[in-house]
Each structure stands twice: as C-alpha cells, then as structure tokens.
Amino acid sequence: MNPIYAAMGTTIFEAMSARARASGAINLGQGFPDGTGPQAVLKAAADALTQRSNQYPPMIGIPELRQAVADHYARHQGLNLSPDEVVVTSGATEALAASLLALISPGDEVICFQPLYDAYVPLIERAGGVPRFVALQPPEWRITADALEAVLSDRTRLVLFNNPLNPAATMASAQELALLADFCVANDLIAICDEVWEHVTFDGARHLPLIGFPGMRERTVKIGSAGKIFALTGWKVGWMCAAPELLRGLAKAHQFLTFTTPPNLQWAVAEGLATQDDWVQQARRQFQRSRDRLKTGLEKLGLVTLPSAATYFLSIDLAASGIAQGDVDFCNHLLDTVGVAAIPVSAFYAQDAVTNVVRLCFAKEDATIDGALERMAKLRETVG
C-alpha cells in the first residue's frame, strides 16, 4: 500500500460521527446542516432525473451549469469569468485533488495555512509535493508577511488557501488578501483558493475572492461548492474556475478522477444558482441565528468562545474557559460522559498543533442545539 495512506486512520469527522451514531450522542462534530435545502433545487434534480438524459454529460460539465457559475460570480463578486473558465467537479475535494495533481511536480513546495482541511496534506504528498505550513494563532488566526516569508523557498510553487477558513471560522481581511496577492505575484506563485464557504458569512461581511485582486486573475484557481451554497452536502457538486491556460491542465487531471458528475444534479445546481439568491440569503440569516443561539448558551455555561465570522462552526477556547484538559481528551470526555460529539481542532494540524480549541457545528435545528446545551450543562460537574 502506498505509504502515504498506509498509516492513515479514518478522518476525524467520520470517526466522531460513527461514535455519535453508536452511542446516541448529539452530533455537533461533522459539518452537515439539518434541513432539506431549497425545494426548487430538489425538484429540479428529481425532474431532470426522470425527464432528461442520464448518460455521460460533457467531461467539463454541462453548458448550463458552467454559464450559471460564471453568471453567479459576476452577480455576487464582480468577477468577469466566461463559461470556458469553469470545470464542474464531483465536489470541491475532487476539484482540490485535480488542481494539486495537475499543478504539482515532484519536489514542489506548497504553502498551507494551519488549521487546515485534513485532505490537503495527503493530496499534496500523493502528487509529489511538499507541504510547508503557516501556523495561524487564535483568537484572530491572522496571516502576516513574516509568516509567509518564513516558509518561502526557491522550491515554492503554490499557495493553498482556504477562505473563509474552516475550522477557524474566520474570513481573511482585505489587507490580508492584498498581502497574499502581492506575495504570490512577487514570487510567481499559483494560488489554489478553496472558497466553499463563500456564501456562509455573517454580520454583513462580504466574501472577497483572491482571484479578483491585482495580478491574480491569471494565477488563481477558484474552487466552489454547490453543497455548501445550498446546504446539500451529500450532493458533491463543485467547480474549478481559472484562466484558460491553467484550466486546460486542471481538466486533464479531472478527466481521470471522476470524469464527470451526475447530470441531473448539474441541471439542478444550474437552476439553483440562477434562481435561489433569496434562499441563500435566508439560509445565511438562519445560520447566523443558530450561531448566536449556541454562543449564548455556551457562554451561560461559562465557556468562552472564539469569534465565528463564517462557516457552520463555533469554537470553545478551553484554556480561557478554565478547562485544563487538552482538546482531544475534552472531546472524548464530552462524547462519553454527556453525549455530545465535537471535533478537536488539533486534528486539523500536521505539526505544532494548537491543543486548547474545540469546534462545534451550529447548523442544526434549535431543538438539537438546546439539547446539546442541556447535556453540556453537566460538564462542570465532571471536568475541571
């Protein structure tokens, strides 16, 4: 077996969710929302399944969806993309895999920001690359020029950038984005931008795509996810957007991964991107309300939370809450003793992990959040 995978365990998300299912715990670990998503999109998928073709669609995606993605970003982010600059993928993780496989040559170094999505490192290494880590620190998790320069070498080729950042639940500021753009241009780097949370932002904040910054149009791969936009995480419909010269290479990698994506879901996502802006806005407001409900409840229990500007997640600062346990021990205790599943943020580090932050998913019904808080009220009796 390939050594990259031989010693690898099950992802922390699946492991905690499996334990939650087995024990009857309330699962605030894995990031999937309650609810069914927009009914119009579901109906479009069902109608397409029975009324349209179920044979291979075009490898790069159906024209309707590629046009809808381009129109969507023009409307929401002021980007001037053509449909020929969009390739549809089977989820954002496949887009990440295709991008990394297409752009990494053996020995190339890739700058990543910790905490990071746990797929990044094995994908980089399997493509022959070498990850180099910028460690972001709570509570701000901010990018600095010194941190970027510290990991730069003559072998650096790519920057892999998640914004909004899961699991820190932060959004990069305009100043940080300008700093990163200048860094990429000055050092002739390509940026792979994992922007799946671009519509799950709060408190009036607007997502700014790195591809829109000066000098980045020709050196950025922008990755999006219909699953996140429409709260349909099981659909696994994503896309890569890039200038034609870049996209040709990405499409060649994509064709030998999944080749294509179910056509009925593509037609449905195209329908959703064209018609469901109001639903997306309403969902954002609902997620923000759920964030505030969980935050208020945790603070009443004496638990200190970190800011959550985006994503489905809110984190507890254990040390600031007066809890001496590390995040792994705390999550095990929380699951085994009071029946609530959470995720230790140290699981999102490849090295030099922060070990005092625990992540909770708030994209749940009120009753689920309230039930978890009721169980967590017993924490002070069992942990110190």
Side-chain angles (χ1 to χ4, degrees), residues 257-306:
L257 289 172
T258 62
F259 181 73
T260 190
T261 298
N264 70 308
L265 299 184
Q266 293 194 53
W267 276 307
V269 171
E271 172 78 11
L273 291 175
T275 67
Q276 296 302 302
D277 284 357
D278 288 346
W279 186 94
V280 172
Q281 295 293 336
Q282 181 181 354
R284 178 187 288 124
R285 290 191 292 269
Q286 177 59 43
F287 289 136
Q288 180 174 320
R289 192 182 72 84
S290 295
R291 177 202 64 177
D292 294 345
R293 188 182 194 92
L294 180 59
K295 177 181 174 65
T296 298
L298 292 172
E299 290 176 348
K300 286 180 179 178
L301 298 179
L303 297 169
V304 177
T305 61
L306 297 176

Side-chain angles (χ1 to χ4, degrees), residues 163-200:
N163 184 45
L165 175 63
N166 164 30
T170 56
M171 295 179 65
S173 66
Q175 293 76 17
E176 289 174 286
L177 292 166
L179 169 68
L180 189 56
D182 290 346
F183 178 77
C184 289
V185 172
N187 296 287
D188 194 23
L189 307 179
I190 294 173
I192 300 174
C193 294
D194 177 357
E195 299 185 352
V196 300
W197 298 102
E198 59 196 344
H199 283 297
V200 192

